[in-house]
Amino acid sequence: MEKKYGVYICKGCEIADTVEIEKLEEVATKEKQIPVCKTHDALCSPEGLDLIKNDISGEGVNTVVVAACSPRVKYKEFSFNGSIVERINLREFVAWTQEPKTEDTQSLAEDYMRMGITKAQHTGLPEPFMLEEIDKAVLVIGGGITGMTSALGAADAGYNVILVEKQAELGGWAAKMHKQLPRTYPFESIEEPTIKATIDKVTSHSNIKVYTSSEIEKIAGFPGQYDVSIKTNGGTEQAKAGSVIMAAGWRPYDANKLEHLGYGANPNVITNVQMEE
Ligand code: SF4
């Protein structure tokens, strides 16, 4: 973006009583060669803001330096969509804290002007990083209930899915459950697990490629373009994906650390995994 600078100096809030405004203008126009430099009695007033907005729309100013109060105040007023805004704090750093009209105070204000304008000159608007090509395949790591549900959701929405499970069978912990929580009205009693039906749906879905007894060896690239190496069948297969869903499951907590809850001392205190077994 080609920058066009505008420097706006506020005379309000005792700034004009503390420093020579004309000398600050000279820093902008003579030293820094800024083409547009204006002053106003109260830049945050509707008229003051119009002064800036008119230059943005009429003069093509896109880098605005506001020499007025702290950037911590009047943030909304001095936000101009699409323009770089640099704030120079002449009010709190100079007018409200320094002795008025002394050489040191003037020189301090001029230095703040130089620093603010220089910073604006070295500031750019962030530009979005646009990928030319986005791979829409989804890599799902983990073939438990979470991974399979994610895979089915993406596959039913029309995306190709690569599902990688390190065990020989899909299902994870859910496949070891004796019963599952109620999923149907009136939600009163535990139900037969539906995991088998979910596994069948996943393995027969035309958009899902399942790797069992397989592990992710490496993922390189970035969102939208991942190169995936899958360790499978004693070798390595390469795949491409645009996004990754981590559903690698959970590990039971070491219940031996829970003696204070009776684990180990009372045979009736067991873990959820032991319960299923
Ligand atoms: S609040 Fe800021 S912009 Fe408004 S008059 Fe005071 S110094 Fe100027």
Side-chain angles (χ1 to χ4, degrees), residues 1 3 24 40 46 63 86 98 102 110 129 156 174 180 185 187 206 233 235 260 276:
M1 141 182 163
K3 284 165 149 184
L24 300 186
H40 196 275
T63 307
E86 178 58 35
Q98 306 300 318
T102 68
E110 289 175 19
F129 173 63
D156 286 344
Q180 71 178 35
Y185 184 81
F187 306 103
S206 58
N233 287 329
H260 62 289
E276 298 302 334

Side-chain angles (χ1 to χ4, degrees), residues 10 12-13 15 42-44 68-69 74 78 91:
C10 185
C13 290
I15 294 172
L43 266 185
C44 59
C69 40
K74 306 284 178 192
F78 293 121
R91 186 177 74 172

Side-chain angles (χ1 to χ4, degrees), residues 125-239:
L125 278 183
E127 287 184 16
F129 173 63
M130 303 294 284
L131 281 177
E132 280 174 14
E133 209 179 297
I134 293 180
D135 199 312
K136 294 201 172 159
V138 179
L139 168 69
V140 178
I141 303 174
I145 186 64
T146 308
M148 288 195 297
T149 306
S150 313
L152 282 171
D156 286 344
Y159 296 99
N160 288 325
V161 176
I162 305 151
L163 190 150
V164 180
E165 165 59 44
K166 72 175 176 185
Q167 302 295 340
E169 305 285 340
L170 293 178
W173 288 103
K176 296 178 185 151
M177 298 282 176
H178 173 60
K179 297 272 182 178
Q180 71 178 35
L181 290 171
R183 292 163 62 101
T184 48
Y185 184 81
F187 306 103
E188 279 175 350
S189 47
I190 53 176
E191 298 174 358
E192 288 301 318
T194 54
I195 189 80
K196 175 77 178 59
T198 307
I199 294 172
D200 290 345
K201 261 197 218 166
V202 167
T203 50
S204 61
H205 203 298
S206 58
N207 285 351
I208 303 178
K209 183 165 186 188
V210 177
Y211 290 85
T212 47
S213 304
S214 306
E215 286 182 34
I216 300 297
E217 190 174 71
K218 192 174 80 177
I219 297 180
F222 38 82
Q225 280 180 12
Y226 288 115
D227 291 308
V228 185
S229 306
I230 304 166
K231 224 160 69 175
T232 186
N233 287 329
T236 301
E237 274 192 34
Q238 300 300 326

